[in-house]
Amino acid sequence: MSIGKPYPIEGGCTCRSVRYRMRTKPLFVHCCHCTWCQRETGTAFALNAMIEADRVELFQGEVEVINTPSNSGKGQKISRCPRCRIALWSNYSGAGDAVRFVRVGTLDEPGGFPPDIHIFTSTKQPWVMLPPGTPAVPEYYKASERWPKESLERRAALKTAG
Ligand SMILES: [Zn+2]
Ligand SMILES: [Zn+2]
């Protein structure tokens, strides 16, 4: 899990129009090696911290939500800075609007959020070496089998909330 540190922690885009804070630690951190994430980031993988939308506070600027095709076919909504177009977070159809996938690289101290799991490793770039201590799955996984109890409880609370 993410390293214990005082919250909230802040992040933002490259032109600094958009600034946000994460109020608590995320639910789970994905390192996704799918070819879609490779194309969208222009690099080998995407690092996303999943967190309840109401724990992400936009305190400066605004985001533009761009509907973007996704690997699942159901699409994702990527929230970008309207000026520099950097992606701050996205919402996937599967998890709905209640959970944001915050781009870890946009946090001011991104090194505090190492992956909890590597996903879609079947398509990872061949030179990427996965660390032995972190779970890795060829495609996706069941949260009930991988997430810590506290995160599952937070997710359950979201579902009952509506
Ligand atoms: Zn910007
Ligand atoms: Zn991906």
Side-chain angles (χ1 to χ4, degrees):
M1 281 309 293
S2 51
I3 293 158
K5 58 180 0 212
Y7 286 89
I9 58 160
E10 297 188 354
C13 68
T14 295
C15 79
R16 297 188 73 82
S17 299
V18 176
R19 296 289 296 162
Y20 69 89
R21 56 176 70 97
M22 263 183 13
R23 291 204 180 99
T24 70
K25 72 178 179 183
L27 294 159
F28 213 58
V29 178
H30 283 173
C31 186
C32 185
H33 299 262
C34 82
T35 54
W36 290 68
C37 285
Q38 291 182 35
R39 182 172 54 246
E40 286 159 22
T41 59
T43 177
F45 48 76
L47 199 53
N48 288 314
M50 303 169 69
I51 185 167
E52 297 92 326
D54 62 4
R55 296 185 187 211
V56 182
E57 179 192 352
L58 189 62
F59 66 89
Q60 181 181 300
E62 52 191 79
V63 292
E64 186 176 4
V65 178
I66 310 286
N67 287 309
T68 308
S70 72
N71 194 11
S72 72
K74 295 178 190 161
Q76 63 171 317
K77 292 188 263 187
I78 303 183
S79 292
R80 295 179 178 276
C81 167
R83 285 182 60 196
C84 72
R85 307 284 175 180
I86 296 297
L88 286 317
W89 58 75
S90 58
N91 293 84
Y92 289 90
S93 293
D97 288 336
V99 176
R100 287 182 181 165
F101 286 62
V102 172
R103 301 288 190 265
V104 170
T106 67
L107 291 165
D108 293 347
E109 293 177 55
F113 301 89
D116 292 311
I117 194 167
H118 292 268
I119 61 174
F120 289 98
T121 60
S122 59
T123 53
K124 82 173 177 62
Q125 292 190 13
W127 55 267
V128 173
M129 298 294 151
L130 301 179
T134 305
V137 292
E139 293 192 357
Y140 210 70
Y141 70 97
K142 283 197 179 109
S144 59
E145 294 170 2
R146 300 283 183 172
W147 286 20
K149 185 165 167 281
E150 185 196 340
S151 294
L152 288 170
E153 286 168 0
R154 280 165 61 181
R155 188 178 72 152
L158 270 183
K159 286 188 173 161
T160 51

